[in-house]
Amino acid sequence: MTENTPHDRGRQTPDPQRRSARAERAILDAASELIVEVGFARMTMEGIASRARVGKQTIYRWWPSKSAVVLDVFNHLTGEQTGEALPDTGDLAADLRTVLRATVDEFNDPTMDRIARAFTAEIQRDTELSQRISGLLVEPGSEVYKQRLRSAIDAGEVRADADLELAVELLTGPFLKRWLMRTAPLTHAYTDDLVDMVMRSLRP
Amino acid sequence: MTENTPHDRGRQTPDPQRRSARAERAILDAASELIVEVGFARMTMEGIASRARVGKQTIYRWWPSKSAVVLDVFNHLTGEQTGEALPDTGDLAADLRTVLRATVDEFNDPTMDRIARAFTAEIQRDTELSQRISGLLVEPGSEVYKQRLRSAIDAGEVRADADLELAVELLTGPFLKRWLMRTAPLTHAYTDDLVDMVMRSLRP
DNA sequence: TGCGAACGAGACGCGGCGTCTCGATGATGA
DNA sequence: TCATCATCGAGACGCCGCGTCTCGTTCGCA
C-alpha cells in the first residue's frame, strides 16, 4: 500500500470461510497495543506477528500492509458510531458546540491521537489510501454536518444560500489545522469560539 | 530526527570553514530532484549520495536525517519570501483573494506539493520537527495575516473585537483540510468563496 | 609547502521487509 | 466418521537501506 507494492499480482484470494477468528483478533489487538506503545513508524509487522503469536504469513494473507491492519483497528474502534446523525435540539449553535466538544475529547485520547496521526501521515504518501479514508470517514462525517445545517436552513437559523460544503470545512478545517500543527491545545473553549465565529457567517 | 536517533552522542562538530560548497549544493540538488521523482518515502540517503556523487558520511556529517536535508531544500526554495507583508490596497477581501490565489498556485506546483506533504507526514511522528516547522513557517505566516487584519480593523473593515488568531485559522484551515484530504482540487474560485464566507464573520 | 580535516567510495553489521517452506491443525464435504 | 486440504505458527531466506567505520585522496588554511 506504500505507493507501489508488488502485491496483488498472482494473488489468489484465500477462503474467508476458513479464516481463524482467533488469529484475526490477536493481530488486531497486538497492532492496537503496539501503535500506542511505540507509534506507527516504529511498529513492525514482525512485532505484531510475534506479539500476536502468529506467523507473518497469516498477516500478509489477509492484509496487504501495515496501514491496512491499522485501518482495520480503527474501523473496529469506531465502527458503530459512524453515520450517526447530529443532535437536533432546534438550536444549531448549541448542537455544534456539543458535537465539537465531543470531537475534542476524542482527539485528546492518546490511542485515537496516535492512530489518526498515523493515517494523516500515510495519506500524504498513499493516494489510494487517502481516497479510501476519504470515502469511508471524511465524507460521511461531513454529510452528517450538512444534514444538520439543512435542517437549520428550514428552521430559518441559517441563510438559504449558504454553501454548506464550505460551512462544514469552516467548522472542521481550523480544528484540523490546530491539531495537525500542534500550534495550540484543543479545548472546549476553542471550539465554542469557533462555532460563534462560523455562526456569524451563516446567519440570514 | 525520526523519533529517536542516537545521533548527537559524542558528536564533535565539524569545521564549517572547510565545508565543501560543491558537495552541499550537489546534495541539496539531488534531494530536490529525488523528492519529486520518487517522493519522500522512497527517497533514500544512499540514493541522494550516489546521485550527488558524494560519500554517505558527507551527508551524515552535516545533516542528522533525511527530513533535515529536505527541510534545508525547502528553506533554500522559499528562503527569500518568508515574512513578506500582505498587500494592503484598502480592500481587505480583495487582498485576501490575491494572497490565497497565490497560495493555491504554490500548492499546485508538484515540487512544493511533494515537499509540503513530506513535512506534513513527518510532523505527525516527530514532535520536535513539528515545533521547528511551526516556529519557522506556520507562525510567521499567520502573523503576516494578523498584521493585515489589524490594519483592516483600523480602517473599520473588520469589527474591533474579532479574534484574529481564529480568523487566520478560518482562512487557512479549510484550505489545508482540502489539500490534505484531497477531497477536492484547490482552485481560485474556492478560495474566493472562502474569503467571502470569512468576511461575513468579520465585518462590524 | 605541509598539516589535517573534510572528501568520495564502499565495506560492514543490523534489522525489517515480503516470500518461501515446513509440519501441525482443524473445518468441510463425501 | 474420516479424509482432505486450506490455513495455521514458526522461522529461514535474500534483499535493501540504515548509520558507522575505514580507507586513500583532495584541498583549504596557516
Side-chain angles (χ1 to χ4, degrees):
Chain A
M1 208 88 335
T2 327
E3 293 211 52
N4 221 358
T5 30
H7 234 280
D8 8 44
R9 206 124 25 114
R11 184 170 178 74
Q12 67 266 32
T13 348
D15 184 355
Q17 296 285 338
R18 322 197 96 184
R19 182 170 192 173
S20 156
R22 184 248 142 210
E24 182 175 10
R25 272 252 53 84
I27 290 165
L28 293 177
D29 288 350
S32 163
E33 291 165 23
L34 284 171
I35 204 171
V36 175
E37 289 174 25
V38 306
F40 181 84
R42 290 196 298 193
M43 161 173 140
T44 67
M45 291 303 241
E46 306 204 316
I48 299 173
S50 82
R51 178 170 299 208
R53 302 193 154 280
V54 144
K56 279 202 285 174
Q57 194 60 259
T58 304
I59 305 183
Y60 283 109
R61 187 165 12 245
W62 303 107
W63 292 275
S65 69
K66 196 168 65 163
S67 43
V69 176
V70 179
L71 179 55
D72 250 25
V73 171
F74 188 72
N75 282 339
H76 282 241
L77 271 182
T78 65
E80 56 285 349
Q81 69 189 358
T82 5
E84 265 177 31
L86 257 54
D88 191 344
T89 65
D91 180 347
L92 176 63
D95 291 344
L96 289 177
R97 274 193 291 269
T98 303
V99 171
L100 283 176
R101 282 175 173 222
T103 310
V104 165
D105 295 342
E106 218 180 318
F107 275 75
N108 281 330
D109 168 60
T111 307
M112 217 47 164
D113 184 88
R114 293 274 198 163
I115 294 184
R117 286 194 195 280
F119 280 124
T120 309
E122 282 306 288
I123 277 174
Q124 301 316 308
R125 57 178 59 119
D126 184 347
T127 312
E128 199 213 318
L129 178 69
S130 141
Q131 266 139 15
R132 199 151 5 123
I133 299 249
S134 187
L136 223 66
L137 299 171
V138 184
E139 270 152 34
S142 117
E143 190 51 49
V144 158
Y145 276 96
K146 283 197 273 185
Q147 206 63 46
R148 181 63 188 85
L149 289 173
R150 273 191 281 269
S151 148
I153 289 179
D154 295 342
E157 276 194 297
V158 168
R159 49 183 240 270
D161 65 334
D163 181 339
L164 298 189
E165 188 70 45
L166 194 52
V168 175
E169 283 185 4
L170 240 55
L171 286 165
T172 54
F175 182 110
L176 178 71
K177 187 194 175 190
R178 194 172 267 227
W179 174 74
L180 257 183
M181 302 297 181
R182 303 185 228 244
T183 39
L186 295 175
T187 63
H188 290 181
Y190 168 62
T191 47
D192 287 356
D193 288 349
L194 181 57
V195 169
D196 286 350
M197 189 76 116
V198 174
M199 284 303 295
R200 281 177 191 271
S201 66
L202 291 179
R203 275 191 269 263
Chain B
M1 208 91 335
T2 326
E3 292 211 53
N4 221 355
T5 30
H7 233 281
D8 6 44
R9 204 116 31 109
R11 186 172 178 71
Q12 66 266 33
T13 345
D15 183 356
Q17 298 283 340
R18 323 199 84 171
R19 181 171 192 172
S20 159
R22 184 248 143 209
E24 181 175 10
R25 273 251 51 83
I27 290 165
L28 292 177
D29 288 349
S32 164
E33 292 165 24
L34 283 171
I35 203 170
V36 175
E37 290 173 25
V38 306
F40 182 83
R42 290 197 298 194
M43 162 174 138
T44 67
M45 292 301 242
E46 305 204 318
I48 298 173
S50 82
R51 177 170 300 208
R53 302 193 153 281
V54 143
K56 279 201 287 175
Q57 194 61 258
T58 303
I59 305 184
Y60 283 109
R61 186 172 303 123
W62 302 107
W63 292 275
S65 68
K66 197 168 65 163
S67 44
V69 176
V70 178
L71 179 55
D72 249 25
V73 171
F74 188 72
N75 283 339
H76 283 242
L77 272 182
T78 65
E80 58 284 350
Q81 68 188 358
T82 6
E84 264 178 32
L86 257 53
D88 192 343
T89 65
D91 179 348
L92 175 64
D95 291 343
L96 289 176
R97 276 193 291 269
T98 303
V99 172
L100 283 175
R101 282 174 174 223
T103 310
V104 165
D105 295 342
E106 219 180 318
F107 275 75
N108 281 330
D109 169 59
T111 306
M112 217 46 162
D113 183 89
R114 294 276 196 158
I115 293 184
R117 286 194 195 280
F119 280 125
T120 310
E122 283 304 290
I123 278 175
Q124 300 318 307
R125 57 179 60 120
D126 185 345
T127 311
E128 198 213 318
L129 178 69
S130 142
Q131 265 138 16
R132 199 153 3 124
I133 298 248
S134 187
L136 223 66
L137 299 171
V138 183
E139 269 152 33
S142 117
E143 190 50 47
V144 158
Y145 277 95
K146 283 196 272 185
Q147 206 62 48
R148 180 63 188 85
L149 289 173
R150 273 190 282 268
S151 149
I153 289 179
D154 294 343
E157 276 193 297
V158 167
R159 64 194 160 82
D161 64 333
D163 180 338
L164 298 189
E165 188 70 46
L166 195 51
V168 175
E169 284 185 3
L170 240 54
L171 286 165
T172 54
F175 182 110
L176 178 71
K177 188 196 174 186
R178 195 172 267 227
W179 173 74
L180 258 183
M181 301 297 182
R182 305 185 227 245
T183 39
L186 294 176
T187 64
H188 291 182
Y190 168 63
T191 47
D192 288 357
D193 288 349
L194 182 57
V195 169
D196 286 349
M197 189 76 115
V198 174
M199 284 304 294
R200 282 177 191 271
S201 66
L202 291 180
R203 273 190 271 264

Short mmCIF file of all heavy atoms in Angstrom, two decimals, chain B residues 132-172:
data_model
loop_
_atom_site.label_atom_id
_atom_site.label_comp_id
_atom_site.label_asym_id
_atom_site.label_seq_id
_atom_site.Cartn_x
_atom_site.Cartn_y
_atom_site.Cartn_z
N ARG B 132 9.78 22.95 15.23
CA ARG B 132 10.69 23.75 14.41
C ARG B 132 9.95 24.35 13.22
O ARG B 132 10.05 25.53 12.92
CB ARG B 132 11.87 22.89 13.95
CG ARG B 132 13.03 23.73 13.52
CD ARG B 132 14.38 23.03 13.66
NE ARG B 132 14.24 21.66 14.14
CZ ARG B 132 14.73 20.60 13.50
NH1 ARG B 132 15.38 20.77 12.37
NH2 ARG B 132 14.59 19.40 14.00
N ILE B 133 9.18 23.51 12.53
CA ILE B 133 8.42 23.97 11.37
C ILE B 133 7.41 25.03 11.79
O ILE B 133 7.22 26.04 11.12
CB ILE B 133 7.67 22.80 10.71
CG1 ILE B 133 8.65 21.77 10.21
CG2 ILE B 133 6.75 23.30 9.62
CD1 ILE B 133 8.74 21.63 8.73
N SER B 134 6.76 24.75 12.91
CA SER B 134 5.75 25.67 13.39
C SER B 134 6.34 27.05 13.62
O SER B 134 5.81 28.07 13.16
CB SER B 134 5.16 25.11 14.69
OG SER B 134 4.08 25.89 15.10
N GLY B 135 7.46 27.11 14.33
CA GLY B 135 8.08 28.40 14.61
C GLY B 135 8.68 29.05 13.39
O GLY B 135 8.72 30.28 13.27
N LEU B 136 9.12 28.23 12.45
CA LEU B 136 9.83 28.74 11.28
C LEU B 136 8.88 29.20 10.17
O LEU B 136 9.17 30.16 9.45
CB LEU B 136 10.74 27.64 10.73
CG LEU B 136 12.14 28.04 10.31
CD1 LEU B 136 12.95 28.48 11.51
CD2 LEU B 136 12.84 26.87 9.60
N LEU B 137 7.76 28.51 10.04
CA LEU B 137 6.89 28.77 8.90
C LEU B 137 5.47 29.14 9.27
O LEU B 137 4.94 30.15 8.83
CB LEU B 137 6.84 27.51 8.01
CG LEU B 137 8.17 27.05 7.41
CD1 LEU B 137 8.00 25.69 6.75
CD2 LEU B 137 8.68 28.07 6.42
N VAL B 138 4.86 28.29 10.11
CA VAL B 138 3.44 28.46 10.36
C VAL B 138 3.15 29.77 11.09
O VAL B 138 2.34 30.59 10.64
CB VAL B 138 2.87 27.27 11.15
CG1 VAL B 138 1.37 27.42 11.34
CG2 VAL B 138 3.19 25.96 10.45
N GLU B 139 3.83 29.99 12.21
CA GLU B 139 3.53 31.17 13.00
C GLU B 139 3.91 32.49 12.30
O GLU B 139 3.11 33.42 12.30
CB GLU B 139 4.16 31.06 14.39
CG GLU B 139 3.17 30.41 15.36
CD GLU B 139 3.86 29.66 16.49
OE1 GLU B 139 4.94 30.09 16.91
OE2 GLU B 139 3.31 28.64 16.95
N PRO B 140 5.10 32.58 11.70
CA PRO B 140 5.40 33.80 10.93
C PRO B 140 4.35 34.04 9.85
O PRO B 140 3.91 35.18 9.63
CB PRO B 140 6.76 33.49 10.30
CG PRO B 140 7.38 32.51 11.21
CD PRO B 140 6.26 31.68 11.74
N GLY B 141 3.94 32.98 9.17
CA GLY B 141 2.92 33.11 8.13
C GLY B 141 1.63 33.66 8.68
O GLY B 141 1.01 34.57 8.10
N SER B 142 1.21 33.14 9.82
CA SER B 142 -0.05 33.58 10.39
C SER B 142 0.06 35.01 10.93
O SER B 142 -0.89 35.79 10.93
CB SER B 142 -0.51 32.58 11.45
OG SER B 142 -0.59 33.17 12.71
N GLU B 143 1.25 35.37 11.38
CA GLU B 143 1.47 36.73 11.90
C GLU B 143 1.24 37.78 10.80
O GLU B 143 0.67 38.85 11.03
CB GLU B 143 2.90 36.84 12.46
CG GLU B 143 3.16 38.12 13.24
CD GLU B 143 2.10 38.40 14.29
OE1 GLU B 143 1.74 37.48 15.06
OE2 GLU B 143 1.59 39.54 14.32
N VAL B 144 1.68 37.42 9.59
CA VAL B 144 1.51 38.30 8.44
C VAL B 144 0.02 38.58 8.15
O VAL B 144 -0.38 39.71 7.86
CB VAL B 144 2.20 37.66 7.22
CG1 VAL B 144 1.64 38.19 5.93
CG2 VAL B 144 3.71 37.87 7.29
N TYR B 145 -0.78 37.53 8.28
CA TYR B 145 -2.22 37.71 8.11
C TYR B 145 -2.79 38.61 9.21
O TYR B 145 -3.59 39.51 8.95
CB TYR B 145 -2.94 36.36 8.16
CG TYR B 145 -2.96 35.61 6.86
CD1 TYR B 145 -2.01 34.65 6.57
CD2 TYR B 145 -3.95 35.86 5.90
CE1 TYR B 145 -2.03 33.94 5.38
CE2 TYR B 145 -3.97 35.16 4.70
CZ TYR B 145 -3.01 34.20 4.44
OH TYR B 145 -3.03 33.52 3.27
N LYS B 146 -2.36 38.33 10.44
CA LYS B 146 -2.90 39.10 11.56
C LYS B 146 -2.58 40.58 11.41
O LYS B 146 -3.41 41.45 11.70
CB LYS B 146 -2.37 38.56 12.89
CG LYS B 146 -3.05 37.27 13.31
CD LYS B 146 -2.82 36.96 14.78
CE LYS B 146 -1.54 36.16 14.95
NZ LYS B 146 -1.34 35.75 16.35
N GLN B 147 -1.38 40.85 10.92
CA GLN B 147 -0.97 42.24 10.67
C GLN B 147 -1.96 42.93 9.74
O GLN B 147 -2.46 44.03 10.01
CB GLN B 147 0.43 42.24 10.04
CG GLN B 147 1.23 43.49 10.29
CD GLN B 147 1.49 43.70 11.78
OE1 GLN B 147 1.89 42.78 12.47
NE2 GLN B 147 1.22 44.90 12.29
N ARG B 148 -2.26 42.25 8.64
CA ARG B 148 -3.18 42.82 7.65
C ARG B 148 -4.58 43.00 8.25
O ARG B 148 -5.27 43.98 7.94
CB ARG B 148 -3.24 41.91 6.42
CG ARG B 148 -4.17 42.38 5.30
CD ARG B 148 -3.72 43.71 4.73
NE ARG B 148 -4.67 44.30 3.78
CZ ARG B 148 -5.71 45.05 4.13
NH1 ARG B 148 -5.95 45.29 5.42
NH2 ARG B 148 -6.52 45.56 3.21
N LEU B 149 -4.99 42.06 9.11
CA LEU B 149 -6.31 42.16 9.72
C LEU B 149 -6.37 43.33 10.71
O LEU B 149 -7.39 44.03 10.80
CB LEU B 149 -6.67 40.85 10.43
CG LEU B 149 -6.98 39.67 9.49
CD1 LEU B 149 -7.15 38.37 10.27
CD2 LEU B 149 -8.24 39.95 8.66
N ARG B 150 -5.28 43.56 11.42
CA ARG B 150 -5.24 44.71 12.33
C ARG B 150 -5.42 46.01 11.56
O ARG B 150 -6.15 46.90 11.98
CB ARG B 150 -3.93 44.72 13.11
CG ARG B 150 -3.97 43.87 14.38
CD ARG B 150 -2.75 44.10 15.26
NE ARG B 150 -1.58 43.39 14.76
CZ ARG B 150 -1.24 42.16 15.15
NH1 ARG B 150 -1.97 41.51 16.05
NH2 ARG B 150 -0.17 41.57 14.67
N SER B 151 -4.74 46.06 10.43
CA SER B 151 -4.88 47.25 9.59
C SER B 151 -6.33 47.42 9.13
O SER B 151 -6.85 48.54 9.04
CB SER B 151 -3.93 47.15 8.38
OG SER B 151 -4.46 47.80 7.25
N ALA B 152 -7.00 46.29 8.85
CA ALA B 152 -8.40 46.35 8.43
C ALA B 152 -9.32 46.80 9.57
O ALA B 152 -10.35 47.44 9.35
CB ALA B 152 -8.85 44.99 7.90
N ILE B 153 -8.93 46.44 10.80
CA ILE B 153 -9.70 46.92 11.95
C ILE B 153 -9.60 48.44 12.04
O ILE B 153 -10.60 49.15 12.21
CB ILE B 153 -9.20 46.28 13.26
CG1 ILE B 153 -9.57 44.80 13.29
CG2 ILE B 153 -9.78 47.00 14.47
CD1 ILE B 153 -9.10 44.06 14.53
N ASP B 154 -8.39 48.95 11.88
CA ASP B 154 -8.18 50.40 11.92
C ASP B 154 -9.00 51.09 10.84
O ASP B 154 -9.50 52.20 11.04
CB ASP B 154 -6.68 50.72 11.71
CG ASP B 154 -5.83 50.21 12.87
OD1 ASP B 154 -6.41 49.91 13.94
OD2 ASP B 154 -4.60 50.09 12.70
N ALA B 155 -9.12 50.43 9.69
CA ALA B 155 -9.86 51.03 8.58
C ALA B 155 -11.36 50.84 8.74
O ALA B 155 -12.14 51.26 7.88
CB ALA B 155 -9.39 50.41 7.26
N GLY B 156 -11.77 50.13 9.80
CA GLY B 156 -13.19 49.92 10.02
C GLY B 156 -13.81 48.83 9.16
O GLY B 156 -15.03 48.67 9.12
N GLU B 157 -12.95 48.05 8.49
CA GLU B 157 -13.49 46.98 7.65
C GLU B 157 -13.84 45.74 8.47
O GLU B 157 -14.61 44.88 8.04
CB GLU B 157 -12.46 46.57 6.58
CG GLU B 157 -12.46 47.43 5.33
CD GLU B 157 -11.64 46.75 4.24
OE1 GLU B 157 -10.43 46.54 4.41
OE2 GLU B 157 -12.25 46.42 3.20
N VAL B 158 -13.17 45.61 9.62
CA VAL B 158 -13.35 44.44 10.47
C VAL B 158 -13.73 44.92 11.86
O VAL B 158 -13.20 45.93 12.34
CB VAL B 158 -12.05 43.62 10.52
CG1 VAL B 158 -12.10 42.58 11.63
CG2 VAL B 158 -11.77 42.97 9.17
N ARG B 159 -14.65 44.18 12.51
CA ARG B 159 -15.06 44.58 13.85
C ARG B 159 -13.88 44.47 14.81
O ARG B 159 -13.04 43.56 14.68
CB ARG B 159 -16.24 43.74 14.33
CG ARG B 159 -15.97 42.29 14.49
CD ARG B 159 -17.28 41.49 14.63
NE ARG B 159 -17.02 40.09 14.32
CZ ARG B 159 -16.50 39.21 15.18
NH1 ARG B 159 -16.22 39.57 16.41
NH2 ARG B 159 -16.29 37.98 14.82
N ALA B 160 -13.82 45.39 15.78
CA ALA B 160 -12.63 45.52 16.62
C ALA B 160 -12.46 44.35 17.58
O ALA B 160 -11.34 44.07 18.01
CB ALA B 160 -12.69 46.83 17.40
N ASP B 161 -13.55 43.64 17.88
CA ASP B 161 -13.42 42.57 18.88
C ASP B 161 -13.20 41.19 18.24
O ASP B 161 -13.30 40.17 18.91
CB ASP B 161 -14.68 42.54 19.76
CG ASP B 161 -15.92 42.17 18.95
OD1 ASP B 161 -15.92 42.44 17.71
OD2 ASP B 161 -16.86 41.60 19.52
N ALA B 162 -12.88 41.18 16.96
CA ALA B 162 -12.67 39.89 16.28
C ALA B 162 -11.44 39.19 16.82
O ALA B 162 -10.42 39.83 17.11
CB ALA B 162 -12.55 40.10 14.79
N ASP B 163 -11.54 37.88 16.95
CA ASP B 163 -10.40 37.06 17.37
C ASP B 163 -9.54 36.79 16.14
O ASP B 163 -9.87 35.97 15.29
CB ASP B 163 -10.92 35.75 17.97
CG ASP B 163 -9.80 34.82 18.45
OD1 ASP B 163 -8.65 34.97 17.96
OD2 ASP B 163 -10.08 33.95 19.29
N LEU B 164 -8.41 37.48 16.05
CA LEU B 164 -7.62 37.43 14.81
C LEU B 164 -6.96 36.07 14.60
O LEU B 164 -6.86 35.57 13.48
CB LEU B 164 -6.57 38.54 14.81
CG LEU B 164 -7.16 39.94 14.85
CD1 LEU B 164 -6.07 40.97 14.62
CD2 LEU B 164 -8.27 40.11 13.82
N GLU B 165 -6.49 35.48 15.69
CA GLU B 165 -5.90 34.14 15.59
C GLU B 165 -6.90 33.19 14.92
O GLU B 165 -6.56 32.46 13.98
CB GLU B 165 -5.58 33.65 17.01
CG GLU B 165 -4.79 32.36 17.06
CD GLU B 165 -3.35 32.52 16.57
OE1 GLU B 165 -2.70 33.49 16.98
OE2 GLU B 165 -2.91 31.67 15.77
N LEU B 166 -8.11 33.22 15.43
CA LEU B 166 -9.16 32.35 14.90
C LEU B 166 -9.50 32.72 13.46
O LEU B 166 -9.72 31.84 12.61
CB LEU B 166 -10.40 32.48 15.79
CG LEU B 166 -11.50 31.42 15.64
CD1 LEU B 166 -10.92 30.02 15.72
CD2 LEU B 166 -12.56 31.62 16.71
N ALA B 167 -9.49 34.00 13.18
CA ALA B 167 -9.80 34.45 11.82
C ALA B 167 -8.80 33.88 10.82
O ALA B 167 -9.17 33.42 9.73
CB ALA B 167 -9.80 35.98 11.76
N VAL B 168 -7.53 33.89 11.20
CA VAL B 168 -6.50 33.34 10.31
C VAL B 168 -6.72 31.85 10.12
O VAL B 168 -6.61 31.32 9.01
CB VAL B 168 -5.09 33.61 10.88
CG1 VAL B 168 -4.04 32.92 10.03
CG2 VAL B 168 -4.82 35.09 10.98
N GLU B 169 -7.05 31.17 11.19
CA GLU B 169 -7.32 29.73 11.07
C GLU B 169 -8.52 29.46 10.18
O GLU B 169 -8.55 28.45 9.46
CB GLU B 169 -7.57 29.12 12.45
CG GLU B 169 -6.30 28.93 13.26
CD GLU B 169 -6.56 28.20 14.57
OE1 GLU B 169 -7.70 27.80 14.83
OE2 GLU B 169 -5.60 28.05 15.35
N LEU B 170 -9.48 30.34 10.21
CA LEU B 170 -10.66 30.18 9.36
C LEU B 170 -10.29 30.31 7.88
O LEU B 170 -10.90 29.70 7.01
CB LEU B 170 -11.70 31.25 9.72
CG LEU B 170 -13.06 30.74 10.20
CD1 LEU B 170 -12.91 29.78 11.35
CD2 LEU B 170 -13.98 31.89 10.56
N LEU B 171 -9.27 31.13 7.62
CA LEU B 171 -8.83 31.31 6.23
C LEU B 171 -7.93 30.17 5.76
O LEU B 171 -7.99 29.74 4.62
CB LEU B 171 -8.09 32.64 6.09
CG LEU B 171 -8.97 33.90 6.11
CD1 LEU B 171 -8.10 35.12 6.33
CD2 LEU B 171 -9.77 34.02 4.82
N THR B 172 -7.08 29.69 6.67
CA THR B 172 -6.08 28.70 6.25
C THR B 172 -6.49 27.26 6.57
O THR B 172 -6.08 26.34 5.85
CB THR B 172 -4.74 28.99 6.91
OG1 THR B 172 -4.91 29.07 8.33
CG2 THR B 172 -4.17 30.32 6.44
#
